[in-house]
């Protein structure tokens, strides 16, 4: 490291750092003219939907290790915000999350896994900000309409009860609640929600709106004083680091309340590095929340591996700490919500950006990024061309910071040529020249992230390597005997796509089926994606093609009851309605059907089964090559149905409509 003081030169050895007051472009970091906006944190989003589904199925110690990488301060991502879905019994991207109120007279605050996840996050970081947002609602909230705001008093009460339940049953204080709908937002509802929150003693819970686009919410807030008072945060999804002038004029806090949504390889890490800085530099957004928190859903569902890290093999225990975890740490381990951005932040002359924050007690953190265009593309919106070149920059520390003599240094370098990427490496501290005012220089290469900070306790957390990756076991059984596991109400490894499949204990039946898995949604939810007309939950290995599946089934509806087991299910998420596979259906009217699709349009075989409601039956489906056959209670019902597509996919169970039905003694034997 070469440092010049006056006309004298002194030679010091270091790594990557070139300290100088006379070389390269100059950038001032100064608080004497005032500060910028207050930093609100970096976060992750669990939900929207079912993106943490497989996490709760991990055994210890791996589950706790994953949580530490996400939430433990000074260890990994050290997230400062956790946003979760308020489950609405509906498909919301990669699956369905259960509601706390399936029906109007039903309340249960132990369904799903978001309660558990919030508790675990809070256990690790008591100061973490908690946010709830409903993406969908049970059908009764819409009162027969696929729209949640026709009866805003019902919707507001539904959301407020979730917030009250979080406190009463889990001692969780929700800090913010979001307002979102893909199609629009409703000013009357926002005002009524604010009124309902206040009436129930929840004045401290603030509202984020519209959790979608800058407009029309900005213009409406700007023109409506009551709405302006009701909304605390203008939150947007995927802003591309930009805002609109009118949003700045409102004086409201601006957040990127959903961002990233990008495959978590090194290009995804570059996307995350660029937007974490430039959301503030370009758009004055003081919080950025990643969709999603952790990729804990099957890879072949939509947006596979779009989380900050990957943990989608609970059967093996394998997980991967991806690059976005360490890019997050460059900011979160050296700041806290409430720190202030400096006004003197911006872009480097030769590409890239820098931000600087202070706690106003003498601490300073500077984060630089020089991510090139092709190595930092996010999934959305489109990224316009720009250039970044290697450069030497000199920072001049002025005002309160002029007396700083040393900064800790953390460095990440994405190397796309040799794949020798270095992430969150602690380098030798940089000495700051105190001639006239503090100065130091740095040679910045492309695709790098640096943190320079007075905070000394950063740490690159580490655990022993988890078990190696392994496919879903070829032999798998579950008798759905709920043992009181407090983490979730659904069976491990099942990923509900439409409908909700929950553990059910029949207290009036002490027999072999007193503990089952039950589909409980009986009315089409209010949703922004196309839920299927049938309910379906998938499990297993998407590459499976030849296998045998068996399951005990029980139809509860005498008139319209129908259930299925299926193999080679080829789609999920928001396109589940168009999924294909081999579906074996039986009905309460005594018939059966074999179809090549979930909608039942392509019939391969059909006939009489003798099945009826409120009787247990065992279904067995076997598929080998182009042929499928099935048994009912051990007797052949049909065989050798000819099929050509699809060639592989998940296993699934489900019902023919939104109806009550039960499943037990589920088993898979994959043959190939």
């Amino acid at each position: 490291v070469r440092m010049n003081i006056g006309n004298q030169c002194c030679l010091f050895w270091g790594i990557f750092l070139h300290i100088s007051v006379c070389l390269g472009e100059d950038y001032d970091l100064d608080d004497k003219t005032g500060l910028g906006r207050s930093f609100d944190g970096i976060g992750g989003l669990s939900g929207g939907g079912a993106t943490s589904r497989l996490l709760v199925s991990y055994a210890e110690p791996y589950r706790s290790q994953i949580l530490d990488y996400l939430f433990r301060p000074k260890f990994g991502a050290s997230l400062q915000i956790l946003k979760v879905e308020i489950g609405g019994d509906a498909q919301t991207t990669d699956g369905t999350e259960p509601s706390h109120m399936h029906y109007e007279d039903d309340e249960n605050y132990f369904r799903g896994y978001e309660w558990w996840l919030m508790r675990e996050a809070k256990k690790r970081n008591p100061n973490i900000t908690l946010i709830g947002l409903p993406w969908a609602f049970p059908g009764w909230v819409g009162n027969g309409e696929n729209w949640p705001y026709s009866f805003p008093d019902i919707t507001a009460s539904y959301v407020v009860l979730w917030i009250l339940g979080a406190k009463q049953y889990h001692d969780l204080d929700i800090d913010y609640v979001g307002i979102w709908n893909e199609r629009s937002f409703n000013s009357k509802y926002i005002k009524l929600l604010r009124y309902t929150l206040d009436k129930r003693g929840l004045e401290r819970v603030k509202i984020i709106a519209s959790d979608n686009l800058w407009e029309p919410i900005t213009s409406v807030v700007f023109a409506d004083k009551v709405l302006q008072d009701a909304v605390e945060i203008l939150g947007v999804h995927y802003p591309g680091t930009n805002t609109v002038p009118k949003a700045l004029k409102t004086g409201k806090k601006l957040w990127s309340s959903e961002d990233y949504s990008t495959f978590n390889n090194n290009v995804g890490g570059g996307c995350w590095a660029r937007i974490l800085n430039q959301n503030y530099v370009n758009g004055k957004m003081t919080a950025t929340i990643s969709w999603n928190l952790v990729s804990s859903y099957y890879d072949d569902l939509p947006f596979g591996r779009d989380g900050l890290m990957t943990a989608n093999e609970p059967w093996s225990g394998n997980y991967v700490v991806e690059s976005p975890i360490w890019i997050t740490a460059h900011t979160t381990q050296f700041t806290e919500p409430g720190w202030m951005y400096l006004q003197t932040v911006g872009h480097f002359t030769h590409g890239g950006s820098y931000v600087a924050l202070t706690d106003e007690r003498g601490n300073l953190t500077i984060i630089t990024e020089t991510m090139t265009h092709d190595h930092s593309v996010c999934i959305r919106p489109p990224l316009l061309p720009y250039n970044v070149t290697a450069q030497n920059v000199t920072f001049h520390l002025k005002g309160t910071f002029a007396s700083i003599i040393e900064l800790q240094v953390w460095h990440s370098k994405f190397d796309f040529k040799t794949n020798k990427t270095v992430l969150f490496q602690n380098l030798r501290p940089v000495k700051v020249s105190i001639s006239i005012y503090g100065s130091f220089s740095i040679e910045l290469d492309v695709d790098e992230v640096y943190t320079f900070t007075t905070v000394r306790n950063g740490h690159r957390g580490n655990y022993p390597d988890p078990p190696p990756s392994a496919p879903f076991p070829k032999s798998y059984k579950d008798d759905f005997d709920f043992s009181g596991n407090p983490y979730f109400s659904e069976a491990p490894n099942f990923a509900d796509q439409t409908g909700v499949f929950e553990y059910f204990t029949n207290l009036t039946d002490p027999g072999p089926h007193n503990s089952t898995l039950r589909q409980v949604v009986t009315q089409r939810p209010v949703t922004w994606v196309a839920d299927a007309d049938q309910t379906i939950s998938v499990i297993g290995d998407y590459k499976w093609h030849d296998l045998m599946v068996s399951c005990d089934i029980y139809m509860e509806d005498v008139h319209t009851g129908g259930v299925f087991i299926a193999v080679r299910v080829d789609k999920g998420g928001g396109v589940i309605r168009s999924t294909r596979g081999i579906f074996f259906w039986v009905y309460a009217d005594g018939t059966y059907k074999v179809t090549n699709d979930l909608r039942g349009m392509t019939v391969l075989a059909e006939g009489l089964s003798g099945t009826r409601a409120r009787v247990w039956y065992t279904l067995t489906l076997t598929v080998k090559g182009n042929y499928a056959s099935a048994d009912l209670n051990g007797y052949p019902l049909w065989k050798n149905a000819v099929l050509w597509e699809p060639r592989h996919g998940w296993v699934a169970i489900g019902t023919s409509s939104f109806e009550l039905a039960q499943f037990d003694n589920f088993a898979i034997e994959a043959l190939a």
Side-chain angles (χ1 to χ4, degrees), residues 68 115 145 160 197 556 562 629:
D68 283 350
W115 312 107
E145 299 181 32
V160 169
L197 287 166
E556 298 188 38
S629 59

Side-chain angles (χ1 to χ4, degrees), residues 15-16 266 269 273 322-324 326-327 330 371 409-427 446-450 460:
I15 303 175
F16 298 112
N266 284 346
E322 312 281 6
S323 61
W326 302 118
I327 293 303
H330 271 281
M371 296 307 306
V409 182
W410 292 80
H411 174 243
S412 292
K413 168 68 175 177
F414 292 98
D415 189 333
F416 291 91
K417 293 181 179 179
T418 65
N419 202 30
K420 294 181 179 179
T421 290
V422 175
L423 294 170
F424 203 59
Q425 181 182 36
N426 191 197
L427 304 182
V446 297
D447 298 328
E448 286 188 320
V449 180
Y450 275 102
R460 194 183 196 280

Side-chain angles (χ1 to χ4, degrees), residues 626-660:
N626 295 332
Y627 297 94
S629 59
D631 293 350
L632 176 66
N633 289 344
Y635 295 95
L637 186 62
W638 53 269
K639 61 182 179 179
N640 296 333
V642 179
L643 51 104
W644 300 103
E645 296 291 342
R647 307 304 297 172
H648 59 84
W650 295 293
V651 173
I653 59 174
T655 62
S656 63
S657 64
F658 289 96
E659 63 186 83
L660 298 175

Side-chain angles (χ1 to χ4, degrees), residues 4-60:
N4 293 284
I5 303 178
N7 295 320
Q8 298 178 343
C9 289
C10 300
L11 191 63
F12 294 88
W13 293 105
I15 303 175
F16 298 112
L17 301 180
H18 183 191
I19 304 171
S20 169
V21 296
C22 51
L23 296 176
E25 303 287 345
D26 295 317
Y27 303 91
D28 291 342
L29 297 176
D30 193 354
D31 62 350
K32 66 184 178 182
T33 58
L35 298 170
R37 294 190 168 213
S38 176
F39 173 66
D40 294 309
I42 307 300
L45 200 168
S46 174
T51 53
S52 303
R53 179 65 189 89
L54 298 176
L55 176 59
V56 293
S57 298
Y58 270 80
E60 295 293 358

Side-chain angles (χ1 to χ4, degrees), residues 291-538:
W291 189 90
N292 51 70
L293 171 73
V294 53
S295 178
S296 282
Y297 49 102
Y298 289 112
D299 268 348
D300 293 284
L301 288 170
F303 305 101
R305 267 187 61 187
D306 277 13
L308 295 178
M309 64 180 291
T310 303
N312 57 9
E313 287 188 12
W315 47 87
S316 73
N318 180 261
Y319 62 86
V320 183
V321 184
E322 312 281 6
S323 61
I325 290 291
W326 302 118
I327 293 303
T328 310
H330 271 281
T331 298
T332 54
Q333 289 205 19
F334 311 105
T335 62
E336 296 288 346
W339 282 42
M340 302 297 295
Y341 282 100
L342 303 191
Q343 289 186 6
T344 49
V345 301
H347 292 275
F348 292 122
T349 302
H350 301 289
S353 65
Y354 64 97
V355 295
L357 303 96
T358 179
D359 64 355
E360 300 184 85
R361 296 191 296 271
N363 280 311
L364 174 68
T365 292
I366 308 160
I367 305 109
T368 71
E369 61 82 22
T370 51
M371 296 307 306
T372 54
H373 179 280
D374 291 351
H375 296 156
S376 65
V377 176
C378 302
I379 191 172
R380 52 187 159 175
L383 182 62
L384 296 176
Y386 67 88
N387 293 316
V388 180
T389 58
Q391 57 197 295
N392 181 279
V393 304
T394 299
F395 286 111
H396 300 290
L397 309 187
K398 298 183 177 181
T400 302
F401 315 118
S403 60
I404 293 174
I405 61 174
E406 182 180 88
L407 292 167
Q408 306 300 306
V409 182
W410 292 80
H411 174 243
S412 292
K413 168 68 175 177
F414 292 98
D415 189 333
F416 291 91
K417 293 181 179 179
T418 65
N419 202 30
K420 294 181 179 179
T421 290
V422 175
L423 294 170
F424 203 59
Q425 181 182 36
N426 191 197
L427 304 182
R428 184 175 299 179
V430 57
K431 302 295 181 182
V432 181
S433 165
I434 56 174
S435 175
I436 306 176
Y437 45 74
S439 302
F440 70 96
S441 291
I442 171 77
E443 291 181 357
L444 300 176
D445 199 357
V446 297
D447 298 328
E448 286 188 320
V449 180
Y450 275 102
T451 298
F452 304 95
T453 181
T454 56
V455 178
R456 295 178 175 272
N457 57 348
H459 175 63
R460 194 183 196 280
N462 185 53
Y463 283 115
D465 289 342
S469 175
F472 197 95
K474 289 187 174 183
S475 181
Y476 183 83
K477 294 182 179 181
D478 195 335
D479 60 8
F480 305 133
D481 285 340
F482 179 53
S483 59
N485 192 325
Y487 299 141
F488 47 87
S489 56
E490 302 92 348
N493 304 322
F494 277 88
D496 299 348
Q497 298 300 299
T498 295
V500 174
F501 296 76
E502 296 180 344
Y503 283 120
F504 175 68
T505 300
N506 189 343
L507 299 178
T508 63
D509 181 5
H513 298 295
N514 70 315
S515 181
T516 65
L517 195 69
R518 191 188 200 198
Q519 200 296 119
V520 297
V521 178
T522 58
Q523 183 179 6
R524 179 175 295 282
V526 177
T527 180
W528 63 281
V529 296
D531 262 8
D533 296 319
Q534 309 80 3
T535 72
I536 178 172
S537 185
V538 302

